[in-house]
Amino acid sequence: MTLRTNVVVGVLALTLSACSSVRLGGQDPTDELPSPSEAMQQAGLELPAGATDVTITSSDLPDREHAWALAFTAPRVEAEAVCEPMGGAGRQSFVPKMHRELLGDVEAGPETRGCSASTGNGGLWGRFVLIEPGDPATVHVSLQQLTR
């Protein structure tokens, strides 16, 4: 590659990187998504230290200040520890209606575990965690802050 091509490729990469942090779903394009760790903390949860393949997306849902979906892989013990602030992980055989739209086609089954709860941590948050079978486990998290 020539120097000019390298510069163009570098600028394009920086531009795409900046665009990936913009909220989706019609929200103000100048608003940036929080880091996955910050999003979890805002809702009173912690992202496991061993989490890998972490993604966060945002949706513009009615009556929601924030609506974030996270997914990550973590060692099973760390995945289930995410539920400790909500009383621990238990069998989770369905995805509650308020979290289905945000999580998309994520499905619960006979071996999935998870938790859900609401909290007043910095506003009213609806929180849902679904932990797929396996170790490491794939974890899906729905965090929704209701508007006041």
Side-chain angles (χ1 to χ4, degrees):
M1 279 197 237
T2 65
L3 177 60
R4 182 173 180 204
T5 304
N6 286 339
V7 170
V8 170
V9 169
V11 170
L12 180 59
L14 286 172
T15 302
L16 290 174
S17 172
C19 289
S20 68
S21 66
V22 175
R23 287 186 181 170
L24 307 174
Q27 294 182 359
D28 185 348
T30 61
D31 290 346
E32 289 187 18
L33 279 168
S35 72
S37 182
E38 291 169 336
M40 296 279 285
Q41 287 175 352
Q42 285 185 43
L45 301 174
E46 282 192 46
L47 185 68
T52 59
D53 304 319
V54 183
T55 63
I56 181 171
T57 58
S58 179
S59 287
D60 186 15
L61 297 177
D63 302 320
R64 303 295 189 269
E65 182 73 25
H66 301 292
W68 299 315
L70 291 89
F72 57 88
T73 302
R76 182 142 207 95
V77 171
E78 290 184 29
E80 291 196 12
V82 171
C83 288
E84 286 178 10
M86 294 183 277
R91 192 170 9 181
Q92 186 68 46
S93 59
F94 69 97
V95 177
K97 183 178 179 180
M98 87 175 270
H99 299 285
R100 274 188 237 142
E101 184 176 353
L102 186 58
L103 292 177
D105 60 359
V106 171
E107 293 188 26
E111 296 181 28
T112 54
R113 297 186 55 79
C115 54
S116 68
S118 297
T119 180
N121 186 28
L124 182 58
W125 284 92
R127 307 173 299 175
F128 174 75
V129 177
L130 184 73
I131 305 164
E132 294 183 6
D135 190 7
T138 299
V139 181
H140 305 276
V141 181
S142 169
L143 304 173
Q144 300 180 39
Q145 185 181 29
L146 305 175
T147 55
R148 299 173 206 211

